[in-house]
């Protein structure tokens, strides 16, 4: 389990994309699960969890897009 002391969405997105599945904790946001390279929405997620999962998954999608020169 990786613990992030600050909420840094891009760093978290790169971590999740790289390690593919596991658990992480973001101080001030809570615990999250990720599988298949994306954060998983908890069953009983509050608004803060939903916003965090959506933002990080959006960033992961952008990281996976092919880069055009």
């Amino acid at each position: 389990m990786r613990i992030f002391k600050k909420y840094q969405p891009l760093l978290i997105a790169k971590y999740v994309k790289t390690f593919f599945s596991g658990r992480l904790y973001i101080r001030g946001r809570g615990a999250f699960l990720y599988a298949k390279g994306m954060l998983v929405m908890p069953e009983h997620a509050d608004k803060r969890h939903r916003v965090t999962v959506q933002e990080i998954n959006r960033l992961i999608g952008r990281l996976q897009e092919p880069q055009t020169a």
Side-chain angles (χ1 to χ4, degrees), residues 8-45:
Q8 297 172 321
L10 188 57
L11 180 68
I12 296 166
K14 287 179 182 179
Y15 176 82
V16 170
K17 183 179 171 237
T18 302
F19 288 97
F20 207 67
S21 68
R23 298 177 6 195
L24 61 91
Y25 179 84
I26 305 167
R27 186 169 291 162
R29 302 260 174 168
F32 295 88
L33 293 174
Y34 57 98
K36 300 180 184 176
M38 301 290 275
L39 281 184
V40 177
M41 186 72 71
E43 252 183 62
H44 302 290

